[in-house]
Amino acid sequence: DAVMKQFYTRVTYVDRLETVTSPADKFTLYFPWHDSRQAFDAVYHRLDSFSVTVAGECWIDIMNTGVTKGAALEVLGRVWDLPPECMMAFGDTYNDAEMLTTAKYGFLMENGSEPLRAQVPFLAPSHREYGVMQVLKQVLRQNGEVSPEDFVKAH
């Protein structure tokens, strides 16, 4: 309960998701033993009527089909008239995958989920080294230009 209340102001516990009748944008499952990836592989990847993703070693998110950070970035791009070529995104785990491949300049944090490296264009230094800030400072030093040769390729 203490962990959940760090992130959410209202928490309701249920034994079975099928019993929930109120509208919800997302269900978040907490795995206190840091085994969310194993649970996803064993059970949750089969929920093909939902968008299900590992959101960290302790978390699985369940949303409506098509709800991803990448889809949200596409919507923002249309609203602001920004093509993917003008977008940068940073992330560290599976719930960031679509966002990191939607933006032309998707950066996986160096300490991020290793299997994502094959999907993502670039690596940023670890969040422990303020990797996002390092990349942004480099881009600003280059007057907003992103030169791919200046950044480590993820694959």
Side-chain angles (χ1 to χ4, degrees), residues 13-30:
Y13 296 95
V14 297
D15 292 325
R16 299 186 56 82
L17 286 177
E18 297 89 356
T19 64
V20 177
T21 58
S22 60
D25 295 319
K26 174 175 78 170
F27 291 98
T28 298
L29 308 177
Y30 174 61

Side-chain angles (χ1 to χ4, degrees), residues 70-84 87:
L73 197 56
E74 288 174 358
V75 169
L76 289 174
R78 284 193 302 274
V79 169
W80 293 333
D81 196 27
L82 286 173
M87 296 180 185

Side-chain angles (χ1 to χ4, degrees), residues 36-50 52-54 60:
S36 61
R37 184 65 200 196
Q38 293 87 338
F40 176 84
D41 291 342
V43 177
Y44 296 98
H45 76 279
R46 290 179 273 179
L47 297 177
D48 50 346
S49 57
F50 295 98
V52 183
T53 187
V54 175
I60 289 180

Side-chain angles (χ1 to χ4, degrees), residues 4-5 7 9 11 17 19 27 34-35 37-38 45 47-48 66 85 103 106 114 141 145-146:
M4 296 301 281
K5 291 193 175 167
F7 302 99
T9 56
V11 178
L17 286 177
T19 64
F27 291 98
H34 300 254
D35 58 349
R37 184 65 200 196
Q38 293 87 338
H45 76 279
L47 297 177
D48 50 346
E85 298 79 34
E114 182 75 28
R141 278 194 298 273
E145 294 294 321
V146 178

